[in-house]
Amino acid sequence: MGKYGAAHIVWDWNGTLFHDNAAIIGATNAAFAELGLEPITMERYRALYCVPVPKFYERLMGRLPTDAEWQIMDETFHRYYAEHRTGCELTEGVPSLLAEWGSAGHSQSILSMYGHDELVPLVRGFGIEPHFIRVDGRTGPSGGSKAEHMVRHLGVLAGVEPARVVVIGDAADDAIAARHVGAQAVLYTGGSHGRASLEEVGVPVVDSLAEAVVEAERLAA
């Protein structure tokens, strides 16, 4: 369980601990192809990506997808992603960063908007599950914000104070979710957002997870 008063990191998974950019852009373009839309580059994806995800599609299509279109795109995305995530690895340095944070007497957990039943075996398969006091994936429909999930996640972490929690993620929504519960955030440029869009959020932005951990220790001191 968490140590009362200790610094705690809530890690994001996709695009943060898990370097799955290739699978994400491939799945996005597979979803677009279902509706006859042109593929996009990773650079354009990172410039425009936002949540809720239908708003991201609106930026690309010029309108919100219909309910039927969203269903098709969402199902295609998840089917393609499940097939191609197997070629993706942890972000460089993750195992040692997790071990060092724990050895310093701090705690950590994962909160992801990836489906819970898919997330847990994936984390377990990389052999890093013992570093976390809790691993939570999304329950319920996809495409929404992380804020309410963060409320539930922190609500069941014994001894973890929001004021000493730092959320590390790759999307503006991670910082919004942190703010929603009174926690702080550090955003990492290696995932779904480019630096320019992350800097608009008003929290520290870093180019490596090693830098993110240093910032987290400073913010939670």
Side-chain angles (χ1 to χ4, degrees), residues 6-180:
H8 181 88
I9 290 175
V10 177
W11 291 96
D12 175 54
W13 179 248
N14 303 95
T16 304
L17 292 176
F18 190 42
H19 187 63
D20 60 350
N21 288 358
I24 290 285
I25 191 65
T28 299
N29 283 329
F32 287 173
E34 286 293 312
L35 298 186
L37 301 173
E38 291 295 315
I40 64 169
T41 63
M42 191 68 207
E43 182 180 22
R44 182 162 169 75
Y45 178 96
R46 283 161 50 82
L48 296 178
Y49 180 75
C50 64
V51 294
V53 177
K55 293 290 291 182
F56 167 57
Y57 289 148
E58 181 183 27
R59 290 180 174 185
L60 293 162
M61 298 169 66
R63 61 174 175 81
L64 279 169
T66 66
D67 289 346
E69 287 172 335
W70 164 250
Q71 181 94 12
I72 291 169
M73 295 171 86
D74 192 47
E75 289 176 356
T76 302
F77 178 95
H78 285 98
R79 184 173 64 250
Y80 182 101
Y81 180 84
E83 293 170 1
H84 289 80
R85 74 181 188 197
T86 54
C88 301
E89 298 291 340
L90 295 175
T91 301
E92 184 178 358
V94 160
S96 59
L97 287 172
L98 299 178
E100 289 163 10
W101 182 258
S103 295
H106 308 312
S107 59
Q108 53 200 324
S109 59
I110 292 176
L111 176 61
S112 173
M113 295 300 282
Y114 191 45
H116 184 78
D117 291 343
E118 290 79 26
L119 173 68
V120 172
L122 189 54
V123 172
R124 191 170 293 151
F126 282 111
I128 59 173
E129 188 182 22
H131 292 297
F132 306 107
I133 61 174
R134 189 172 181 90
V135 176
D136 281 335
R138 187 198 77 251
T139 56
S142 63
S145 173
K146 186 177 273 189
E148 291 307 319
H149 294 269
M150 187 69 73
V151 172
R152 290 191 291 272
H153 183 73
L154 291 192
V156 294
L157 297 182
V160 173
E161 301 174 80
R164 299 207 67 201
V165 170
V166 179
V167 177
I168 297 179
D170 68 318
D173 192 51
D174 292 300
I176 293 167
R179 193 172 297 142
H180 187 68

